[in-house]
Amino acid sequence: MQNIVILTGAGLSAESGLGTFRDQHGLWTKYDLNDVATPEGFARNPALVHDFYNARRANCLGASPNAAHAALARLQRAAPDRVCLVTQNVDDLLERAGAVDVVHMHGQLNRALCADCGHRWDAPQVMAPSAPCPACARAATRPDIVWFGEYPYHLDRIDRALMRADLFVAIGTSGNVYPAAGFVQQAAAAGAATLELNLEASATAALFEDTRLGPASQIVPAWVAEVLAHWGG
Ligand code: APR
């Protein structure tokens, strides 16, 4: 088992207290994603969108990585050139657990983007529509988050990693949002083994050769320990 590509979703950070989206009390049961996670929503009401992400940024600041984040960071440290950590999550809990070079395909809460000139910078804790861009000074500041209808980041790099993968593991994602939900098929077509780690079966469960169900904080460290033992770690 040489090259491993790991895709994580909101379930990885659920036990750290960050909300998921589609579970019983998920974020999309409280907010209309069209208002807070689309370019049209931002154009209509930028203050509402900033309030939404300011609340998520504060929630993230108050959260801590859980045993699953720590286990993935441990796995990556054991073989950095063989483990590619792709995440749909916009929190920095993997980084705070010691992971590096995490591929944030949906952007990051702690980064800001100028909708006019494309400049990116470290986001302050609280962002407002009136905040001027540090580069062009125009008040076009937005969270550096990929919204519905926008193109995810780093897809070329992810495609290359999937082509080389011997194992593709999806952790804590419902398999509802593409292109991430299609990675399992890309990896399998390239000859990789596929494993899903989730609290319950995802929409794409049938596409995985192997599935383990349980809380990420328990089943991810157990799986990582097996891989490290197999690698002689
Ligand atoms: N341990 C493991 N998995 C869990 C846990 C847990 N403790 N709690 C919940 N889960 C799983 C659920 O079973 C579900 O499969 O996490 C998944 C959460 O699914 P979603 O809320 O749909 O989150 P995600 O799959 O990450 O959403 C993908 O949709 O809204 C967009 O951009 C947003 O990145 C997000 C994308």
Side-chain angles (χ1 to χ4, degrees):
M1 188 191 315
Q2 293 310 312
N3 295 313
I4 304 180
V5 175
I6 297 168
L7 170 70
T8 57
L12 178 72
S13 301
E15 291 162 271
S16 296
L18 301 191
T20 62
F21 295 95
R22 296 171 184 82
D23 286 335
Q24 196 181 356
H25 304 295
L27 283 169
W28 296 150
T29 66
K30 300 182 181 110
Y31 295 89
D32 179 343
L33 65 85
N34 295 295
D35 292 338
V36 294
T38 61
E40 296 78 13
F42 184 67
R44 259 197 318 274
N45 188 343
L48 172 70
V49 174
H50 276 301
D51 288 350
F52 175 67
Y53 287 100
N54 289 338
R56 292 183 65 192
R57 200 171 292 112
N59 196 15
C60 185
L61 270 177
S64 305
N66 64 57
H69 297 103
L72 293 180
R74 194 160 53 245
L75 180 68
Q76 184 189 49
R77 268 197 305 277
D81 54 339
R82 288 175 15 195
V83 177
C84 179
L85 293 177
V86 180
T87 189
Q88 301 170 91
N89 298 340
V90 294
D91 64 62
D92 63 346
L93 294 182
L94 275 168
E95 288 88 345
R96 282 157 59 188
V100 295
D101 190 23
V102 177
V103 185
H104 283 274
M105 63 181 290
H106 288 168
Q108 294 169 262
L109 276 174
N110 58 16
R111 295 288 285 169
L113 167 66
C114 177
D116 273 3
C117 76
H119 179 64
R120 284 181 168 82
W121 67 100
D122 288 341
Q125 283 185 32
V126 179
M127 293 180 71
S130 54
C133 165
C136 74
R138 284 194 290 275
T141 302
R142 58 170 278 185
D144 189 12
I145 300 277
V146 177
W147 286 327
F148 289 96
E150 295 186 321
Y151 210 70
Y153 294 159
H154 311 301
L155 290 185
D156 290 344
R157 177 178 172 189
I158 296 168
D159 285 347
R160 286 195 303 276
L162 292 171
M163 292 307 289
R164 295 173 48 238
D166 301 295
L167 173 64
F168 173 75
V169 187
I171 301 175
T173 180
S174 63
N176 281 300
V177 176
Y178 288 80
F183 290 168
V184 56
Q185 286 159 304
Q186 268 181 268
T194 53
L195 166 65
E196 177 165 63
L197 304 180
N198 202 314
L199 189 62
E200 55 195 30
S202 70
T204 50
L207 299 175
F208 287 85
E209 286 163 355
D210 194 6
T211 299
R212 297 185 191 183
L213 298 181
S217 66
Q218 293 170 27
I219 63 174
V220 174
W223 170 71
V224 165
E226 284 174 29
V227 173
L228 290 177
H230 179 74
W231 282 354

